[in-house]
Amino acid sequence: MRTQYKEKKSDNNLICQSSLQYKNLDEIKDFYSLPNNFTDYNKIDFNEYKSEDKNNLIEKTYPTFVHENGICCLKNDQDNCLRDSNDNVIKFHESSFGNCKKSNYYNISKYNGGYSIEYNENTYNIDYTLNQKKINTILDLFDKTKKELNYFQEFFDNYYYPDPFLYVDIERTIENIFNPNENTNNNFNKNNNNLFGKYICKSDFWTIPLTNNIKEFNNQIDEMEAGGNTSVYQGLLKGFEIVNKGKHKNKILILFSDGDDAPYEKTFPELISHGMCEKIRDHLKDKGDNFYMGVIGIKYNAKKHTELVDCFGIENIYEANDSEILENKINQIISKGRKNIGITKLSDGQN
């Protein structure tokens, strides 16, 4: 996942925004009963858990068998002996030496929200503690991420980029292209962004609002820094949102890309197959706007990118290997757009 900041004001006041919409947590199979919104999901301190060995994390989701104060019990991660529905401590056999037997006389099995303990022909259903819910959520996220990353798996043992496709709501994303704040679960404050952490929500790129001030525009571009990995769909979704806000009836969108989507490869194809590009074209046409868009691959053959071809049309995709060619290709796209929608220059005073 690559996220975009909203308008830059100061590094401490940036809001990190994913252009994706996410499922309610009860829609995700095997989710572990955290509060039912993405904000709470995001509050999980991912950095706290990502350095943990996976087996250690799994162990923390089970109670620990201990001997204390003359009884044997199973303790949860809050250091409390487990209790039955009548709030009585669930006691187990004790040896003559005061040590608890770790034998097979009880059985623990997980269910979606806790674990069941079978002992002395009784079954006790115990809810996870909040910390156990968080750990199970992280483990579930790790598992879904790893299944998606394919050939990236060996490089992502710690999963610094936790945004698996199974958590994304494709239909709601497309529905809210022009109203991204209809579902506020995609906004993260930089200072309390835990799950996405420093690897995703960074301050070295941000969204620049529509402007006629070329100098200020260039200054902001110069301050940005490129990083690894690519999520074309994040840029496109944000670009569509900004284009829609423009007052001018003639609009051009140019996408620049230097590579294929990585590490997440499923999201963009699904957005395209669900009609993302048709949505923007139809919406702008219904508004009475004239719209044209093209792609320039920077030292990259974007025509091999199936989704870009499906969205833009192969005849609107170009490649540039140096700054001179890049300028030429930009002018080509503007010229082509001019023929279609009557644009004579980048701006005529309106945003």
Side-chain angles (χ1 to χ4, degrees):
M1 168 183 166
R2 295 297 295 274
T3 52
Q4 287 78 39
Y5 282 106
K6 292 183 176 179
E7 180 179 354
K8 186 181 182 188
K9 295 179 180 177
S10 71
D11 283 347
N12 292 325
N13 195 34
L14 290 172
I15 299 296
C16 190
Q17 182 186 71
S18 168
S19 294
L20 297 172
Q21 302 289 335
Y22 296 87
K23 295 177 181 177
N24 291 324
L25 301 190
D26 60 350
E27 299 176 62
I28 302 171
K29 185 180 179 182
D30 297 330
F31 208 84
Y32 291 92
S33 301
L34 281 168
N36 192 26
N37 63 74
F38 193 76
T39 301
D40 290 284
Y41 160 70
N42 178 57
K43 287 179 181 176
I44 298 172
D45 193 346
F46 178 65
N47 292 320
E48 176 183 341
Y49 296 110
K50 70 180 179 61
S51 60
E52 291 262 11
D53 178 82
K54 183 176 180 181
N55 290 330
N56 289 339
L57 284 178
I58 293 173
E59 286 181 10
K60 289 182 178 181
T61 65
Y62 286 99
T64 304
F65 203 56
V66 298
H67 176 266
E68 187 173 279
N69 297 326
I71 65 169
C72 295
C73 71
L74 286 166
K75 276 194 172 184
N76 61 25
D77 64 323
Q78 295 177 334
D79 204 33
N80 296 321
C81 287
L82 301 181
R83 294 175 176 269
D84 60 24
S85 58
N86 294 318
D87 202 34
N88 298 314
V89 172
I90 304 173
K91 300 177 183 179
F92 295 85
H93 292 298
E94 183 179 354
S95 74
S96 57
F97 298 102
N99 295 316
C100 297
K101 297 177 181 178
K102 289 190 177 182
S103 61
N104 294 324
Y105 59 78
Y106 71 91
N107 180 58
I108 297 179
S109 60
K110 286 188 176 183
Y111 65 92
N112 188 37
Y115 41 83
S116 293
I117 300 172
E118 295 178 9
Y119 171 65
N120 269 359
E121 300 182 353
N122 293 314
T123 298
Y124 307 97
N125 292 326
I126 309 296
D127 291 338
Y128 287 128
T129 63
L130 180 59
N131 188 56
Q132 289 172 331
K133 291 177 183 178
K134 290 179 178 181
I135 292 173
N136 274 304
T137 299
I138 291 292
L139 290 171
D140 181 65
L141 185 142
F142 281 178
D143 181 62
K144 288 179 170 61
T145 299
K146 188 167 185 176
K147 286 178 180 176
E148 183 174 350
L149 292 182
N150 297 326
Y151 63 91
F152 284 95
Q153 285 187 21
E154 61 183 291
F155 303 109
F156 282 83
D157 288 338
N158 289 324
Y159 306 103
Y160 292 157
Y161 302 90
D163 193 28
F165 169 73
L166 289 171
Y167 281 28
V168 177
D169 191 319
I170 296 294
E171 293 182 358
R172 194 155 61 215
T173 295
I174 295 174
E175 179 183 347
N176 291 308
I177 289 176
F178 310 109
N179 301 292
N181 294 324
E182 289 295 314
N183 185 344
T184 57
N185 66 17
N186 61 351
N187 293 315
F188 316 113
N189 187 289
K190 180 190 175 206
N191 295 324
N192 58 20
N193 181 319
N194 294 321
L195 184 60
F196 290 106
K198 64 182 180 180
Y199 300 97
I200 296 295
C201 193
K202 302 187 293 183
S203 58
D204 51 10
F205 60 99
W206 54 88
T207 299
I208 303 176
L210 291 170
T211 179
N212 292 315
N213 189 333
I214 300 300
K215 182 178 179 180
E216 175 61 21
F217 177 85
N218 287 335
N219 287 341
Q220 291 203 48
I221 291 292
D222 289 341
E223 290 181 32
M224 297 185 191
E225 295 182 9
N229 300 319
T230 299
S231 290
V232 169
Y233 52 86
Q234 289 280 5
L236 264 183
L237 287 165
K238 179 56 66 175
F240 289 158
E241 178 192 338
I242 292 174
V243 162
N244 183 58
K245 294 176 180 177
K247 298 176 182 178
H248 202 297
K249 288 297 182 182
N250 297 320
K251 296 177 167 65
I252 289 180
L253 183 147
I254 303 176
L255 173 71
F256 301 92
S257 180
D258 63 355
D260 294 334
D261 287 315
Y264 295 101
E265 302 173 347
K266 294 182 179 180
T267 304
F268 194 33
E270 285 297 312
L271 288 168
I272 296 299
S273 68
H274 280 75
M276 178 180 74
C277 298
E278 290 81 358
K279 168 89 173 182
I280 178 68
R281 288 191 178 95
D282 291 345
H283 175 83
L284 293 175
K285 183 178 179 180
D286 290 344
K287 284 178 60 180
D289 291 348
N290 302 306
F291 179 60
Y292 176 78
M293 59 184 186
V295 179
I296 300 178
I298 309 299
K299 296 183 179 180
Y300 165 65
N301 179 14
K303 290 183 178 180
K304 70 178 185 178
H305 197 306
T306 303
E307 288 71 43
L308 291 180
V309 172
D310 291 343
C311 183
F312 288 79
I314 197 167
E315 70 279 6
N316 300 313
I317 300 178
Y318 304 86
E319 184 175 357
N321 295 317
D322 58 47
S323 58
E324 184 177 347
I325 296 175
L326 176 61
E327 183 177 357
N328 177 266
K329 297 303 179 184
I330 292 173
N331 286 327
Q332 270 188 258
I333 290 176
I334 294 173
S335 177
K336 198 168 184 179
R338 183 181 63 220
K339 292 177 182 178
N340 290 332
I341 62 179
I343 290 180
T344 58
K345 54 184 177 180
L346 279 176
S347 173
D348 63 0
Q350 296 185 70
N351 289 338

